[in-house]
Structures are given as structure tokens and as C-alpha cells.
Amino acid sequence: MKIAIIGAGAAGIMAAITAKRLNKDLQIDIFDANKSIGKKILASGNGRCNISNTKITSKNYLGENPDFVNFALKEFDFKSFEKFCKTIGLMLDIKDGGKVYPLSNEAKSVVNLLALALEKLEVNIFYEHFIQKVEKKDDEFIIIANEEEFKNYSKVVVSSGLGAAPQLNSSEIGLEIASSFGHSYNPTYPSLVGLQTKDTYNGKLQGVKKECKVSLYVNGTLEDEIFGDVLFTAYGVSGFAILDISQRAVLALSQYSDVELRVNLFPNINVNDLADQIAALFKSLQNSRVVDVLIGVVSNKIAPVLLNICKIDLDTKVEEINTKQIKAISHQLNSWRLKVIDTQGFGHSEASGGGVRTLEIDNKTYESKLINNLYFAGEVLDIVGNRGGYNLHFAWSSGYLVGKNLIK
């Protein structure tokens, strides 16, 4: 049997290794646009590779049907992944909260060990091959790449990802292939990405970073709340909390909803208590400018912007401030509103949402329900995970199921 795998990412690599271990007589050809395998693996976790997570359920995923992942997560859970890693010589480091990294703390070691495993199993890899089309004649597939035809494939696996990180040669060719065989897909959108806001304050807050509570409102209704770092930028906001909440925010934007963030810069202090503390601070520092006193409360970049929003002149003295103005300052710090208008795009996103509709895919084999012997795995499907190793784990688990079923 001759099998073609499109995409040498986590899902495609796992499918190849799993299938070859079960049947060494298979001929497996992997096609990838890059000069080496696992480019997105190398980029994950800022080069440290957040490779998986010990606490995974369908609640960690978004898509038209997040429960689609349940069978894969059951068949290939973290314990199964840990056993697999040992077979290729990869030791893992489990952090607080369940995040998993290679013990070496380097993504490169993960990719090198996977490459070695593929080499030992004699999997063929066609580097710098850009897929143009996949056809099926009779019962065999033809791969057209770099103006050349590769024929006689019994089965094809589409694990080519989507548009996130185009600098790594990512593309939506997988959706074109799916469409050519009659599959439908949900519109794609960047996920785990910085958000552009209507008010950027001319970049005056750029570089300010603080632990905050971020609340997401869609059409005026509270949809999500997350605690974590918020980084103000020239275009809007980023940071871990923003990347996490961006998944639901961008999905709402793609549906033309009104999207607003409310950032609480002091999540551990009640808004009234904060007002009392600011009032006490002002009382102890009479004859000072309000902007100078506020530097003891917030960043020196935030203080003047805060006063402008509250319509308080920067030269105003502490003794000139009234109770209503103090409450306005406290309220702004407790609920800093930012209207989201766009994202930083696929070029700055860690993952892609949307993709091939899972209702057209068998959740136990990941084979197309429309075309025999055509499989889909990983990011190309309409499944996207939270930050924390969930996307990579879905790639491993879906690739495992595909590999297991390729030999049948």
C-alpha cells in the first residue's frame, strides 16, 4: 500500500510513525513546503515547545462541534502520548497547571527525535514541495506538486494545517483539497492572537504590562473572563490573557458581532475600596499634581491617559479633586473598556480557527465520510484549542487515529 501525507507537522508525523510501526511494508511519502519537518513545532512555546497538557477535555477546544475530539482524546490521552515520547527517546517536564514541555526545554530536540524516528522507519519526505492539487482516478490518488505528478496512492492524509504563521509556509491548501472532493468548511480566522482596538491612545500605553482580569462582552453580554498578563501595544492589546480570550473574541468578530473588552487593572481590589485608597493617598499628598500622585498607583504611562479619559486636566492639584472624580478614576481602573475592531492577523497568530467541517469526518477514524481513503488530521479541521499545549495534543491524537486506521 502506498500512502501520501500532505504536511510534515505534528499530525502528519504522528500518522506516519503510527502507521509504519504497525505495518513496515507500507510506503509512506510525506510532502511539505518547508526545508525540514515540524516548523510549527519549533515555533511553539517560544521555542520551548509546549508539547501537550495533562488536563485535556473537549472544553479546551472551540469549533462547530468541540465534542468531536472526545474519541481521539480518549484513545490517545496524555499517558498514551507520554509512552509514545519514550519510544522516540523524548523525556517530558510537567509544569504546574498541567503544561508539558520537553525536559531539554528546547523544541529542536522534539523535532530532531521525530525526524530520527521517521528516518528509521524509512518514511520518504519530499521537502519544498508545494501541493497544487489532489485528484482521484478509479481507486487511486494523484498528488500534483511543483508541476509534477506523484501517482498510485491508495490513501491520502491531509494534515497541512491552515493559514496561521504564513512565514512558515502555512497555507489553506488543505481546504482547497477538501473542497475539490465535495467537502465544506467553516470560515477560518486567526486564533491566539493580539487584538486591535478602536482606542490606541496614540501608542502612549505601549509597553505597559500588568496582571489583570479581562472580561469579554459580545453584543453587550458577558461571554468570558480570564486572569493573566495584559500588554498594551501600539495597535491595541496582547499578552497571555488577551491571547486566551482572543479565541472567542475573534470568533464573535467573524460573525460581525460587537466585541468589547473590559480590563480590570486591580482585580483583587473592590472598586469602592480602590476609591477609598486613592482618596487616602490624595489626602496625604496635598499640594501635589494628581498625575504625579497617581504614579504611585499605576504606571507613569497610564496616569496621564487615565486622567484624559476622566476629563481631568494634567495640571490639576490633589486638593482640587472631588469625590466624584476619584470614583471616576477608580471605575476606569476597574473597568477599562476597549472596543475590539480587528486582530493582528494570521501572521501573528499561533493557531487558526475554522476549517473542514467535522460533521463530514468520521470521529473514530478521521476518514472522510464523502470519499473513501481520504483522511484529515490536525489544524485543517474545524477544531482549535486553548493556549497551553492543547492544539499540539489534538494534532498528536488525531494523527494517531489516522495512522492506526491507515493500515486497515
Side-chain angles (χ1 to χ4, degrees):
M1 198 190 303
K2 192 176 173 186
I3 294 168
I5 296 177
I6 299 171
I13 292 169
M14 179 61 82
I17 292 174
T18 302
K20 271 293 243 181
R21 283 178 172 177
L22 292 170
N23 184 349
K24 288 184 169 57
D25 294 329
L26 293 177
Q27 178 184 327
I28 297 183
D29 296 342
I30 300 181
F31 296 85
D32 196 88
N34 290 296
K35 295 180 180 179
S36 57
I37 68 168
K39 283 294 186 180
K40 281 192 178 180
I41 299 174
L42 283 174
S44 68
N46 291 322
R48 294 171 55 218
C49 192
N50 185 183
I51 198 171
S52 182
N53 199 295
T54 61
K55 303 171 182 177
I56 303 179
T57 71
S58 61
K59 292 180 180 179
N60 300 116
Y61 297 90
L62 292 176
E64 185 177 23
N65 178 26
D67 288 338
F68 177 81
V69 306
N70 284 336
F71 186 78
L73 298 183
K74 179 183 174 184
E75 289 293 296
F76 196 75
D77 58 10
F78 173 69
K79 290 297 181 185
S80 301
F81 177 66
E82 191 174 33
K83 288 178 183 176
F84 167 79
C85 289
K86 288 179 180 177
T87 68
I88 64 170
L90 181 65
M91 303 302 290
L92 301 177
D93 182 17
I94 302 172
K95 304 289 189 183
D96 291 342
K99 290 183 182 180
V100 181
Y101 294 84
L103 192 60
S104 65
N105 211 35
E106 285 188 349
K108 192 172 182 179
S109 63
V110 178
V111 173
N112 288 345
L113 289 170
L114 289 170
L116 187 59
L118 291 170
E119 184 182 345
K120 286 180 178 178
L121 290 166
E122 298 181 339
V123 173
N124 305 313
I125 305 177
F126 292 89
Y127 295 112
E128 296 183 275
H129 275 62
F130 293 83
I131 303 297
Q132 294 156 287
K133 194 188 296 184
V134 177
E135 298 175 345
K136 190 177 186 183
K137 292 183 179 178
D138 298 323
D139 287 330
E140 294 189 335
F141 292 90
I142 300 169
I143 307 294
I144 302 169
N146 293 8
E147 309 295 338
E148 185 179 352
E149 288 189 353
F150 299 81
K151 299 181 178 180
N152 306 321
Y153 290 103
S154 306
K155 301 185 178 186
V156 168
V157 180
V158 180
S159 54
S160 51
L162 288 173
Q167 63 273 22
L168 302 179
N169 279 324
S170 63
S171 74
E172 296 191 347
I173 184 62
L175 300 185
E176 294 178 28
I177 296 168
S179 295
S180 71
F181 285 105
H183 277 280
S184 56
Y185 60 87
N186 288 319
T188 60
Y189 56 90
S191 188
L192 300 176
V193 66
L195 299 175
Q196 294 182 14
T197 59
K198 183 179 179 180
D199 293 311
T200 61
Y201 311 108
N202 297 317
K204 291 178 181 178
L205 297 184
Q206 185 173 1
V208 173
K209 186 177 183 181
K210 198 174 186 310
E211 190 94 0
C212 302
K213 181 178 81 171
V214 183
S215 302
L216 170 67
Y217 285 80
V218 176
N219 295 328
T221 302
L222 178 63
E223 290 289 332
D224 199 6
E225 286 189 330
I226 287 177
F227 288 84
D229 287 342
V230 172
L231 174 66
F232 287 88
T233 66
Y235 59 81
V237 281
S238 187
F240 289 146
I242 299 302
L243 295 183
D244 288 341
I245 215 161
S246 72
Q247 296 195 293
R248 295 187 185 279
V250 181
L251 180 59
L253 276 181
S254 72
Q255 297 167 345
Y256 305 102
S257 299
D258 182 71
V259 180
E260 182 185 75
L261 300 180
R262 298 183 190 177
V263 181
N264 186 344
L265 279 76
F266 294 92
N268 298 318
I269 306 176
N270 176 277
V271 63
N272 293 324
D273 290 341
L274 181 59
D276 290 343
Q277 290 186 36
I278 292 173
L281 183 66
F282 283 179
K283 191 173 182 180
S284 66
L285 292 168
Q286 296 290 319
N287 300 317
S288 300
R289 292 195 312 163
V290 175
V291 68
D292 295 328
V293 176
L294 281 176
I295 291 173
V297 180
V298 293
S299 161
N300 63 341
K301 288 186 176 181
I302 291 180
V305 174
L306 172 63
L307 291 179
N308 282 332
I309 292 172
C310 295
K311 298 180 180 179
I312 299 172
D313 190 273
L314 295 186
D315 290 323
T316 301
K317 294 291 183 69
V318 167
E319 59 267 27
E320 297 170 3
I321 292 292
N322 58 42
T323 302
K324 185 178 178 180
Q325 290 172 314
I326 290 174
K327 285 184 176 179
I329 291 170
S330 176
H331 180 75
Q332 179 65 24
L333 292 173
N334 182 260
S335 185
W336 197 298
R337 296 189 175 199
L338 296 166
K339 182 176 174 60
V340 180
I341 57 173
D342 206 347
T343 76
Q344 277 299 85
F346 286 109
H348 297 274
S349 68
E350 295 182 16
S352 297
V356 176
R357 298 185 72 193
T358 52
L359 61 85
E360 299 169 356
I361 308 298
D362 188 305
N363 74 314
K364 292 183 171 62
T365 64
Y366 282 59
E367 184 178 9
S368 164
K369 292 180 180 178
L370 310 182
I371 304 293
N372 290 337
N373 298 321
L374 178 65
Y375 297 79
F376 294 88
E379 190 179 25
V380 72
L381 293 165
D382 181 20
I383 291 290
V384 62
N386 300 147
R387 183 179 60 86
Y390 300 104
N391 283 299
L392 267 179
H393 191 89
F394 176 65
W396 304 126
S397 60
S398 59
Y400 168 78
L401 281 187
V402 169
K404 184 179 173 183
N405 286 282
L406 282 174
I407 66 165
K408 295 179 180 178

